[in-house]
Amino acid sequence: MSKSSTTENSQQNNSPNNSGWFSKFLSTVEWLGNLLPHPITLFASLALFIVILSGILGYFDVSVLDPRPVGAKGREADGVIEVISLLNAEGLQRIVTGLVTNFTGFAPLGTVLVALLGVSVAEHSGLLATIMRAMVMNASKTAVTVVVVFAGVVSNTASELGYVVLIPLAAMIFHSLGRHPLAGLAAAFAGVSAGYSANLLLGTVDPLLSGITQDAARMIDPEYIVGPEVNWYFMFVSTFLVAAMGAFVTEKIVEPRLGKYDPSEAAIDLGQQKMEEPNAQEIKAMKWAGVAFVVVCGILALTIVPENGILRHPETGAVAGSPFLKGIVAFIFITFAIPGFVYGRIAGTMKNDRDIIDAMAKSMGSMGLYITLVFFAAQFVAFFKWTNLGTVLAVKGAAFLQATGFDGPEVFVLFILMCGVVNLSLGSASAQWAVTAPIFVPMLMLIGFAPETIQAAYRIGDSVTNVISPMMSYFGLILAIAARYKKDLGMGTLIATMLPYTLVFIVGWSILFYIWVFLFGFPVGPGAETYYTPVTG
């Protein structure tokens, strides 16, 4: 780095926005985080640690009472959940035989790779870049930031789309506008991940969580129904709050702290990424790509909107649990690949199937680091599940919550914080909720709160710490993208960059939750209750 760049960065880091204890705190977090090993080494070490810990706890017969009622699916016959040791012959056999299937069955791996095949066509044809250029050209600095965060939140409608599309694109946009690319990456990452549950429309996570919540609620009320739409009102409003908070943190904290970007820090040749307004040919191609997108969406709608749609649930006829939702990744592939190729043909960037194949191959070639990380991450997640350590920890945490004696709205402060902490080790929203819902939903129902309200609070805690959790399935992918712009980037730098989002989001979002639910008394979704009253007689 040149002396002038160093001086500029020093001056930037000493600006009023970054002086004081908070800047020192972030620097300390960055320093401590950078002491951590590479994420691949970390996951491998944690997997080994789980094996050893399970052996120790299994030797001492550590166990908890199964919170599920007698006769519930998966409930242990004796009503006790024990820590299962992997530090024995049977455990070793399970590890050896499951090594490959743990990797190939790791859900985020397939989601990323399959979605990326379609996205790569839209990316390499130039469609995505043209759309974003059209959105941000001639827009103010703040407008660009808000658009990036807002787009990140909305992208969650299409499952994990934002991780593989928007985040790398946002970094490129910020760099093209002469801003720090890591600030763009951070803004998009905050919207996609820290604002994961917020959205204007129902996403794939809604039916997934509501199904788990309903099963948990029926431990208390066997007839209770929780639909996918029960948090829609609150999450709709949350979208605008998350976008505003994300833009504020980016411009007032993150971007000033990063300082002026030095292109020599990049690990790849960035070239001259100066953006220009789309020309007439690109605009024409973009319009026809839009037509292609509408046609594809219309065809897909015919499979799910009519009551006899062929992709509805074959038994219930509902959207929840339907092949459409289960196959959402395939539709991501289609809805990007077809408009992407249409754009490429008209814009002249793609001519035939060879260009499509080349685009897909280039994207797959850049995923080597992520695939390696997934192998070790998959082993850790599998070992954690096999040993029952996650369930035991959740039950112990529930006992602690009950010991506090909270029986009013203040219980949700601790509940949201606890969900955020648990999320640091169980990155999957459905995996964490599957473990904790059978404990906390019945417990909070018994003190008078409705499952819909409990689920809304859970979604806040589950979202806000995603961006600082190395255990989050896509954290390695984000780290790999960031390393393109700063080759010596460590895990601590990324965590320290994202920590302000977590702190602001958890405070702001929790305040909105309290005001919306308890001060104004608004429902969190259509037909949702705030309080639960047991049915008697």
Side-chain angles (χ1 to χ4, degrees):
M1 181 184 293
S2 65
K3 183 177 179 180
S4 61
S5 296
T6 303
T7 302
E8 288 174 355
N9 285 337
S10 177
Q11 291 173 345
Q12 188 71 43
N13 288 334
N14 289 325
S15 66
N17 287 329
N18 288 290
S19 60
W21 67 269
F22 190 63
S23 180
K24 294 179 181 178
F25 170 69
L26 292 181
S27 296
T28 302
V29 170
E30 179 175 354
W31 177 75
L32 291 174
N34 285 334
L35 295 178
L36 293 173
H38 191 281
I40 293 176
T41 305
L42 182 62
F43 274 118
S45 301
L46 286 173
L48 179 61
F49 173 73
I50 291 297
V51 173
I52 297 173
L53 182 62
S54 71
I56 296 173
L57 298 182
Y59 177 80
F60 289 103
D61 296 323
V62 174
S63 63
V64 295
L65 294 177
D66 194 327
R68 291 166 292 187
V70 176
K73 183 179 180 180
R75 189 180 191 275
E76 299 295 335
D78 57 1
V80 175
I81 299 176
E82 299 177 337
V83 173
I84 305 299
S85 174
L86 295 179
L87 201 62
N88 51 35
E90 185 179 350
L92 179 60
Q93 293 170 5
R94 190 171 191 181
I95 291 173
V96 172
T97 57
L99 205 67
V100 175
T101 54
N102 291 342
F103 173 55
T104 57
F106 195 60
L109 175 64
T111 299
V112 169
L113 297 184
V114 174
L116 193 60
L117 287 173
V119 169
S120 63
V121 179
E123 179 184 1
H124 288 281
S125 69
L127 173 60
L128 298 181
T130 300
I131 291 175
M132 291 303 292
R133 282 160 53 204
M135 291 175 63
V136 303
M137 288 304 297
N138 301 319
S140 66
K141 174 184 175 182
T142 299
V144 171
T145 309
V146 171
V147 166
V148 167
V149 181
F150 186 82
V153 178
V154 174
S155 72
N156 295 323
T157 302
S159 190
E160 319 298 345
L161 173 65
Y163 289 106
V164 296
V165 179
L166 184 63
I167 292 175
L169 191 59
M172 183 273 289
I173 288 172
F174 268 53
H175 180 256
S176 299
L177 295 175
R179 302 171 66 179
H180 203 297
L182 293 186
L185 178 144
F189 190 19
V192 172
S193 201
Y196 182 71
S197 279
N199 219 315
L200 299 180
L201 304 172
L202 297 183
T204 56
V205 71
D206 291 281
L208 191 62
L209 295 183
S210 64
I212 297 172
T213 304
Q214 178 172 285
D215 288 341
R218 288 183 173 181
M219 296 172 65
I220 301 298
D221 186 342
E223 302 299 324
Y224 208 93
I225 297 176
V226 181
E229 73 289 346
V230 295
N231 290 154
W232 182 51
Y233 294 161
F234 180 67
M235 292 307 162
F236 184 95
V237 174
S238 296
T239 301
F240 300 98
L241 176 68
V242 169
M245 291 190 299
F248 172 82
V249 172
T250 301
E251 297 197 350
K252 300 300 182 182
I253 301 176
V254 172
E255 197 164 12
R257 182 173 182 273
L258 288 170
K260 184 176 178 60
Y261 181 60
D262 182 0
S264 66
E265 297 179 340
I268 59 175
D269 182 13
L270 298 176
Q272 299 296 321
Q273 294 189 14
K274 184 176 181 179
M275 291 205 310
E276 298 178 352
E277 291 189 30
N279 57 40
Q281 187 71 10
E282 290 173 331
I283 293 175
K284 177 183 177 181
M286 185 169 59
K287 289 180 178 179
W288 279 106
V291 171
F293 176 78
V294 171
V295 170
V296 170
C297 289
I299 294 173
L300 292 178
L302 292 177
T303 69
I304 192 68
V305 174
E307 293 185 1
N308 61 345
I310 59 174
L311 291 182
R312 281 179 173 262
H313 195 288
E315 296 179 359
T316 65
V319 176
S322 66
F324 181 86
L325 290 181
K326 292 180 180 179
I328 194 70
V329 176
F331 303 135
I332 292 175
F333 172 84
I334 295 171
T335 53
F336 275 89
I338 294 177
F341 181 66
V342 169
Y343 174 91
R345 284 281 296 178
I346 297 176
T349 55
M350 284 187 168
K351 298 179 180 179
N352 50 43
D353 60 322
R354 173 62 65 180
D355 294 326
I356 296 176
I357 295 170
D358 288 343
M360 293 181 177
K362 288 179 182 177
S363 294
M364 289 299 103
S366 66
M367 297 300 291
L369 177 62
Y370 178 68
I371 294 173
T372 305
L373 182 143
V374 163
F375 174 79
F376 292 98
Q379 309 312 320
F380 166 74
V381 171
F383 295 173
F384 202 69
K385 179 180 179 181
W386 291 347
T387 58
N388 285 336
L389 283 172
T391 306
V392 170
L393 287 174
V395 173
K396 296 290 186 181
F400 169 76
L401 185 61
Q402 289 175 313
T404 62
F406 290 163
D407 57 0
E410 67 275 4
V411 71
F412 286 101
V413 175
L414 186 59
F415 177 60
I416 291 172
L417 289 174
M418 187 218 65
C419 291
V421 172
V422 174
N423 189 50
L424 294 175
S425 60
L426 286 175
S428 168
S430 59
Q432 184 191 161
W433 196 224
V435 170
T436 55
I439 300 163
F440 292 105
V441 171
M443 184 183 71
L444 295 177
M445 285 177 69
L446 291 174
I447 61 174
F449 296 102
E452 298 91 336
T453 303
I454 301 167
Q455 178 180 281
Y458 161 75
R459 295 175 73 166
I460 297 174
D462 171 69
S463 297
V464 294
T465 55
N466 279 333
V467 292
I468 60 171
S469 172
M471 302 298 106
M472 196 269 292
S473 303
Y474 297 92
F475 196 86
L477 175 65
I478 306 307
L479 192 62
I481 296 170
R484 298 176 184 174
Y485 296 92
K486 188 175 176 62
K487 54 191 171 186
D488 59 344
L489 184 82
M491 185 187 300
T493 301
L494 183 57
I495 292 175
T497 300
M498 302 309 301
L499 184 58
Y501 294 101
T502 292
L503 298 178
V504 172
F505 281 22
I506 198 168
V507 173
W509 212 346
S510 297
I511 291 174
L512 175 65
F513 176 77
Y514 179 83
I515 293 174
W516 183 270
V517 176
F518 299 112
L519 191 60
F520 290 162
F522 294 154
V524 292
E529 299 291 339
T530 299
Y531 300 99
Y532 172 71
T533 303
V535 178
T536 59

